[in-house]
Amino acid sequence: MGGRAQMGKRIAEMGFNTSGGVINWFPGHMAAATRAIRDRLRLADLVIEVRDARIPLSSANEDLQSLISYKRRIIALNKKDLANPNIMHRWVHHFESCKQDCLSMNAHNKSSVSQLLALAELKLKEVISREPTLLVMVVGVPNVGKSSLINSIHQIANSRFPVQEKIKHATVGPLPGVTQDIAGYKIANRPSIYVLDTPGVLVPSIPDIETGLKLALTGAVKDSVVGEERIAQYLLAILNSRRTPLHWDRLANERMQTTPEFDGRSENIFADSIPKRRRQLNVSDALYIEDLVRGVQRTLYLTFKDFQGNLEEEGELESLIDAQLTALRKSFRIPSRRACDEARTMVSKKLVTLFRTGKLGPFILDNLPNSS
């Protein structure tokens, strides 16, 4: 996998990044939020650190690791349904070999969340403490699924303890004996274990542009910070360098249906494919999206197959990416009246949405450390 790591670094340094302008990763107010989380972490007896299973390392907050290294901790690799299942178990084994409890999970699946809570309860039952009330805190960078996890915990907690009691927990402060009300949900007795109902949202640590682009591609950094087209170019660079389009060769000879250009209804369905709350797609929506995905995969396969250049040459790989963005305009049925720049932005947004929702397949973008 050493070659894969070198490939990632090379992609991160490609021309579309260096020419795309300087990226200002952080809004200033987020630093204050991180300070507040640090203060609250002192109260926590266990930390559930939620990471994106597609980027198990890049979605960690390195600045926080020193603070939680002495805490009891579970690394929850969320969105496992979007991550490559063939290597997910190797990531779990990697963390466990580093003496870190780790679980791959899906925050929308109650069975998966119950498994996480059982591990949390087990870890806290081992604690020899006079403290009758134990507190669990959920932390992670934006968009790794913390709120979904908290909502699922809330539902499970209410089924176990329909009447929830208020928590009192000693606060860290200059005055002895000061207590503070903390809203949370009781998940266990003996000891009484509560999970804070508000997750801590951390500023991502971005040591290099490669990490930043992975965070942007998975949605942990706002698209507007990096630019939609740059994110889509990065995605295509990864797909092409991994030769992923060759897996879609079965679509090459399929006669694609001719579907009319987007009407307003269809465009809204696609734009809302990552809703705040998951909603059921009807049959017509599902068929529409499936047809769209097949068209996109077929286009990427054909452009990749027709490519005569060298993927190792940055300029030639960029030419392929540029050709693919142009070809995808037809796949996404973007009206010809759209200006070129506007069309490329629309293509970029839709392509990235397909990746984020798993429509292009399951991926893990990070490389396993020390693997060959």
Side-chain angles (χ1 to χ4, degrees), residues 281-301:
L281 293 175
N282 63 37
V283 174
S284 134
D285 295 340
L287 288 174
Y288 171 82
I289 293 172
E290 181 184 339
D291 181 52
L292 189 76
V293 171
R294 285 150 62 93
V296 167
Q297 290 176 327
R298 181 173 182 268
T299 296
L300 293 179
Y301 167 75

Side-chain angles (χ1 to χ4, degrees), residues 170-190:
T171 190
V172 177
L175 301 175
V178 173
T179 59
Q180 143 183 342
D181 289 344
I182 299 173
Y185 303 113
K186 188 174 188 178
I187 59 163
N189 270 329
R190 303 194 192 126

Side-chain angles (χ1 to χ4, degrees), residues 25-26 52 54-55 57-61 141-144 202-223 226 231 234 355-356 365-366:
W25 295 107
F26 303 122
D52 191 316
R54 295 167 296 179
I55 47 171
L57 297 179
S58 297
S59 57
N61 182 283
V141 302
N143 205 37
V144 289
L202 300 160
V203 176
S205 302
I206 301 183
D208 53 63
I209 194 167
E210 182 189 359
T211 301
L213 289 168
K214 288 176 183 176
L215 287 163
L217 180 54
T218 53
V221 174
K222 284 186 178 179
D223 291 354
V226 181
I231 298 171
Y234 176 65
F355 170 81
R356 288 176 179 163
L365 303 178
D366 282 339

Side-chain angles (χ1 to χ4, degrees), residues 228-229 267 325 329 334-350:
E228 289 90 348
E229 188 171 332
E267 191 153 12
L325 285 173
R329 181 169 172 166
I334 293 170
S336 55
R337 65 180 178 275
R338 298 281 187 179
C340 183
D341 287 350
E342 184 186 4
R344 283 174 76 93
T345 300
M346 292 174 71
V347 166
S348 299
K349 285 181 177 179
K350 294 177 188 300

Side-chain angles (χ1 to χ4, degrees), residues 139-160:
V139 300
V141 302
N143 205 37
V144 289
K146 300 177 301 299
S147 295
S148 298
L149 176 58
I150 291 288
N151 289 339
S152 294
I153 289 172
H154 185 191
Q155 292 172 18
I156 292 169
N158 283 347
S159 66
R160 291 181 184 175

